[in-house]
Amino acid sequence: MPEIPASIQRVINVCEKVVAGDASIETLEGLFVKARQTAAFERASLERFQWDVIWTARIRELVAKVQAELQVHERVLQSLESAFEAEDLVGLDEAGRELKYSAETMAALWGALADEAGKQQAFSPYPVYDHLIKTAKNVIDGNIESSVLSGFFPPAANFTVRLRAAVKRFTLFYGKSSLAICADKVTRNIEAAMGAIDKFLQNGDKKLLNSAKNLLMSTTVTMYTVMADMGIWAANERKYARTALVEDLFRAREAGLEGQDLKQLWDAVGNALRMEVTEVQTLLNHPLGTLCSVHRDALKVGMARVIRMVSDYSKGNISDVDLAGLDLLLFNLDRLIKSDLVHVDIEHRLVEGAPNFEELLVTVGLAIDGKIEPEAFMVILQETIDHVNEVRDNLDGALSRLSAEDFTLLEHCIELQAKGCETLASWCESGEADALREGWKCISSTLPSVRRLMAQMKKNLGVDKPKADTITCMRCGTANPSTAHYCSKCSAVLLQLVQSGPTEYTDLETGLSDGEGNAAIPANIAKLERLVSQVESGEAYTDEVAKVVGELLSSANSYRNIYIRRVREALVDENVDSSLVERFESNMNNYIEGLELCRNFVNEPNIEFLYNGLDIASNAALELSDIQSELSAYF
């Protein structure tokens, strides 16, 4: 069942404690403002949702129910606030129970709406065009006014201009590719469809709009494939810079690009850098930033330097631009962002699937940053304490489902969690941030073991079910399918925690101005990237490189020996696809070659060894991760 918004849930929890005598009525002070904001936000979200979904009888029914429940929601919140001001515990109890029922109903309705919208076909792989097409269909069917379409048209039109400029530059920079001819034809069709929609907005001819919608549906699918191929071609042809943005600037200088064409390239660089800014802002404002030791100062300085350089350079002659310096600065910033995002992701994964600890983790992060009062902190902590005590009081049920060794481990973990909660509670009196860090460290150390033990118990009970991958919206908290680009509830762009650096072609593949996430980095590469980052910042030198790279090489060679001695023969006997085996062996050799190149830094401290070795090892490791899933039965 979808979760109730945190601000509403907090009001409900505090009301229950006040009525039960476990908290004073003053605890509710200040909680209603956020709850009312959430209700207003849900009303605005519903309006945006209706614009961007194909209306069906079921959608109409659910929307009507949400609208009705929103009215109940707002009325009950007003009743609660009145009872609070009058210190009426009876009224508070009645309104609190009504709010709980209404919130649960609302969450269920939002979940049903999201499920219904998820069943609808995406008409374009580009979200910016998909929004436009769906809105156009609703206009044609008479569900919404054509004025709504005019709001979706400018972003799609701007994106079309960017597509045209990118195709033109690709033709100039990579003239050997026949992709340019295909891309030009498809772009012309997209431009024709956009022109027809523009005419509809002027004369209201729905037949014209319908033709444009159908043309846009087919051509953008083709364009997506072509753009992906263009990105692969450009990546294979890269020879001047580590980053794709600076590679294009090098080629622009080489081709003598000038005038409007050069301006459009600088605009494309600016668009891509806005993706970078989004990631940096996410890290700077993230509630776990301090807890995870995010390099906030370095991120601010690095991003400011990149933006300043691009701003200054874009006004002058490209022949005067220090492209090598810009490339190095952007490359280092990308690595720093990726490293910090990995650390935050690791902390998030610890609490994945444990709602009590998920909320506590964020609360601890806010407390370290001084963004939450002790009273509010204790309200949330108490919920975790109650959960831990409940588990501890019912451990007998686990005894018959676990081995004696695992049961002892579970008991130990629960005791550590209780101890961690006590340490966290001490912060409310002492105000010392170290208590927060120590308390959370005590709790987080138990979570991997508890997750494994709980999974084992579910398996023994026969209730284990695979969980679908989801992305949680950072704006409203709604869980969305991992393949989604936009939140189904509030339409915010969904960002993966681990992301790649900005590249123009991948940005245009997705149709997003804020980027799209990629798969998580393998742990060994994350470790190697942290090492390179520490060397760059002066925190590590040859001794640390020798130690870390030596450990990685030892592990890699052991893995390869297992393959040679035991696995290779099994693959041959099982008639596994030979091309898959060849790819595995080739990438395994490349991975070790990259590590060996990194180890050269120990004898000759030239950071280029680390950069080049990391590039080789990273590419190979990502390939190995994909291949290994297919060969997992043999290892």
Side-chain angles (χ1 to χ4, degrees):
M1 181 177 177
E3 293 182 13
I4 297 171
S7 60
I8 302 293
Q9 185 65 61
R10 192 150 300 133
V11 171
I12 293 169
N13 292 342
V14 174
C15 279
E16 290 176 346
K17 291 181 184 298
V18 170
V19 171
D22 296 331
S24 66
I25 196 168
E26 288 78 16
T27 312
L28 283 166
E29 185 74 45
L31 296 184
F32 292 109
V33 174
K34 184 71 177 196
R36 286 198 305 272
Q37 289 175 347
T38 300
F41 174 74
E42 289 198 325
R43 187 172 289 281
S45 297
L46 182 62
E47 184 177 1
R48 287 194 297 270
F49 180 89
Q50 292 177 77
W51 294 345
D52 196 33
V53 68
I54 303 301
W55 285 39
T56 62
R58 177 61 174 160
I59 290 288
R60 288 177 185 276
E61 176 190 355
L62 290 170
V63 166
K65 288 182 177 179
V66 171
Q67 289 172 333
E69 201 60 44
L70 272 171
Q71 293 179 354
V72 174
H73 218 49
E74 291 162 352
R75 176 182 58 77
V76 173
L77 278 172
Q78 184 59 52
S79 299
L80 262 176
E81 193 162 6
S82 298
F84 163 72
E85 292 171 353
E87 297 187 3
D88 177 8
L89 292 182
V90 174
L92 199 69
D93 181 27
E94 182 179 343
R97 284 187 277 108
E98 194 173 353
L99 178 62
K100 181 177 181 180
Y101 175 78
S102 177
E104 289 173 347
T105 303
M106 180 73 75
L109 288 171
W110 271 118
L113 269 175
D115 290 343
E116 197 67 24
K119 296 174 184 176
Q120 295 185 350
Q121 178 183 1
F123 294 113
S124 172
Y126 293 94
V128 68
Y129 289 129
D130 193 58
H131 291 331
L132 187 65
I133 292 168
K134 288 179 177 177
T135 307
K137 188 175 189 315
N138 282 328
V139 170
I140 293 167
D141 293 341
N143 294 320
I144 58 178
E145 297 295 326
S146 58
S147 58
V148 176
L149 182 64
S150 63
F152 283 91
F153 182 77
N158 291 336
F159 188 72
T160 305
V161 172
R162 290 176 58 200
L163 275 178
R164 166 56 66 192
V167 170
K168 186 175 182 179
R169 286 192 297 274
F170 184 85
T171 304
L172 182 62
F173 296 163
Y174 310 99
K176 297 178 182 179
S177 172
S178 59
L179 284 169
I181 299 173
C182 178
D184 178 66
K185 291 180 179 178
V186 179
T187 307
R188 288 179 187 278
N189 285 331
I190 292 175
E191 290 169 336
M194 293 300 295
I197 294 176
D198 190 28
K199 288 182 180 178
F200 161 78
L201 292 173
Q202 297 172 35
N203 61 29
D205 184 352
K206 287 190 177 182
K207 289 183 179 180
L208 189 64
L209 179 61
N210 189 54
S211 298
K213 172 182 70 71
N214 293 334
L215 181 58
L216 207 56
M217 286 167 57
S218 59
T219 53
T220 56
V221 171
T222 305
M223 192 70 209
Y224 187 85
T225 304
V226 172
M227 194 60 68
D229 291 340
M230 286 167 59
I232 294 170
W233 182 285
N236 291 336
E237 292 289 313
R238 190 182 302 173
K239 60 181 179 180
Y240 297 113
R242 294 186 183 94
T243 57
L245 295 182
V246 182
E247 174 74 18
D248 275 359
L249 289 172
F250 267 110
R251 290 181 180 271
R253 173 188 288 173
E254 184 181 55
L257 204 66
E258 57 185 15
Q260 184 63 23
D261 291 333
L262 182 58
K263 180 184 181 302
Q264 287 182 333
L265 176 55
W266 280 115
D267 288 343
V269 171
N271 282 327
L273 285 181
R274 278 191 278 277
M275 296 161 49
E276 199 92 325
V277 171
T278 298
E279 293 179 343
V280 170
Q281 288 300 328
T282 297
L283 284 168
L284 294 180
N285 299 323
H286 203 287
L288 304 186
T290 304
L291 181 64
C292 297
S293 301
V294 165
H295 299 82
R296 283 172 166 160
D297 291 339
L299 286 169
K300 289 179 184 177
V301 172
M303 195 72 250
R305 287 179 65 191
V306 169
I307 292 174
R308 186 169 59 250
M309 288 178 74
V310 169
S311 176
D312 291 344
Y313 290 160
S314 62
K315 300 171 185 175
N317 193 318
I318 195 169
S319 61
D320 299 329
V321 177
D322 177 15
L323 293 181
L326 178 61
D327 184 46
L328 181 61
L329 186 60
L330 189 56
F331 179 75
N332 289 338
L333 179 64
D334 288 343
R335 291 206 175 279
L336 186 60
I337 291 171
K338 189 179 292 185
S339 173
D340 283 345
L341 285 169
V342 167
H343 293 158
V344 173
D345 189 33
I346 289 171
E347 205 67 42
H348 268 287
R349 289 178 185 276
L350 282 174
V351 297
E352 189 175 20
N356 291 87
F357 294 117
E358 285 178 351
E359 186 173 14
L360 182 62
L361 168 61
V362 174
T363 306
V364 169
L366 292 173
I368 290 176
D369 287 337
K371 295 179 179 178
I372 189 170
E373 296 298 321
E375 293 80 7
F377 179 86
M378 271 308 301
V379 170
I380 296 169
L381 177 60
Q382 188 61 50
E383 294 174 9
T384 305
I385 291 172
D386 293 343
H387 169 73
V388 171
N389 288 337
E390 182 181 357
V391 174
R392 182 163 51 184
D393 294 342
N394 292 281
L395 274 177
D396 290 346
L399 185 59
S400 61
R401 303 294 176 183
L402 296 172
S403 66
E405 182 180 353
D406 281 346
F407 182 77
T408 302
L409 175 59
L410 180 59
E411 279 187 311
H412 177 65
C413 288
I414 298 303
E415 291 304 320
L416 280 178
Q417 288 179 0
K419 179 182 176 183
C421 288
E422 291 176 6
T423 307
L424 290 176
S426 70
W427 170 79
C428 296
E429 299 295 332
S430 67
E432 295 180 2
D434 285 346
L436 294 169
R437 294 181 184 278
E438 291 172 10
W440 178 251
K441 185 177 180 181
C442 192
I443 292 173
S444 63
S445 66
T446 69
L447 297 178
S449 295
V450 170
R451 183 186 293 111
R452 179 184 67 80
L453 293 172
M454 292 302 175
Q456 183 62 45
M457 289 175 64
K458 287 182 179 180
K459 184 177 180 180
N460 292 341
L461 289 167
V463 296
D464 57 319
K465 296 180 180 179
K467 182 182 177 182
D469 291 337
T470 60
I471 305 175
T472 300
C473 176
M474 295 187 71
R475 180 195 285 172
C476 69
T478 300
N480 296 270
S482 59
T483 55
H485 298 308
Y486 281 71
C487 177
S488 60
K489 183 172 180 181
C490 71
S491 296
V493 175
L494 298 173
L495 297 177
Q496 294 277 6
L497 285 171
V498 180
Q499 303 196 358
S500 62
T503 67
E504 182 192 354
Y505 293 112
T506 52
D507 175 31
L508 291 171
E509 283 170 42
T510 61
L512 294 172
S513 60
D514 295 319
E516 180 183 19
N518 292 321
I521 306 168
N524 51 350
I525 296 304
K527 187 174 184 179
L528 191 58
E529 287 186 336
R530 283 196 297 272
L531 173 67
V532 175
S533 177
Q534 288 169 341
V535 172
E536 289 170 340
S537 61
E539 298 174 303
Y541 201 51
T542 54
D543 290 345
E544 290 82 356
V545 172
K547 180 176 183 295
V548 173
V549 176
E551 291 173 352
L552 292 174
L553 269 171
S554 176
S555 175
N557 284 317
S558 297
Y559 196 77
R560 183 164 63 176
N561 289 338
I562 291 173
Y563 169 81
I564 292 172
R565 290 198 313 270
R566 179 167 61 83
V567 178
R568 181 190 284 170
E569 185 176 347
L571 295 178
V572 173
D573 292 341
E574 294 290 335
N575 294 318
V576 173
D577 184 359
S578 60
S579 65
L580 190 68
V581 176
E582 290 169 4
R583 281 176 56 212
F584 177 84
E585 293 180 358
S586 173
N587 282 289
M588 193 71 221
N589 291 336
N590 289 341
Y591 172 65
I592 292 174
E593 178 186 339
L595 293 178
E596 292 286 3
L597 189 57
C598 289
R599 192 161 61 174
N600 288 341
F601 180 86
V602 176
N603 298 322
E604 186 180 344
N606 182 341
I607 201 166
E608 287 296 323
F609 285 131
L610 293 178
Y611 288 150
N612 295 333
L614 178 58
D615 282 344
I616 295 171
S618 297
N619 292 332
L622 289 169
E623 284 285 331
L624 285 170
S625 294
D626 293 335
I627 300 169
Q628 189 178 354
S629 63
E630 298 184 56
L631 301 179
S632 58
Y634 302 97
F635 283 89

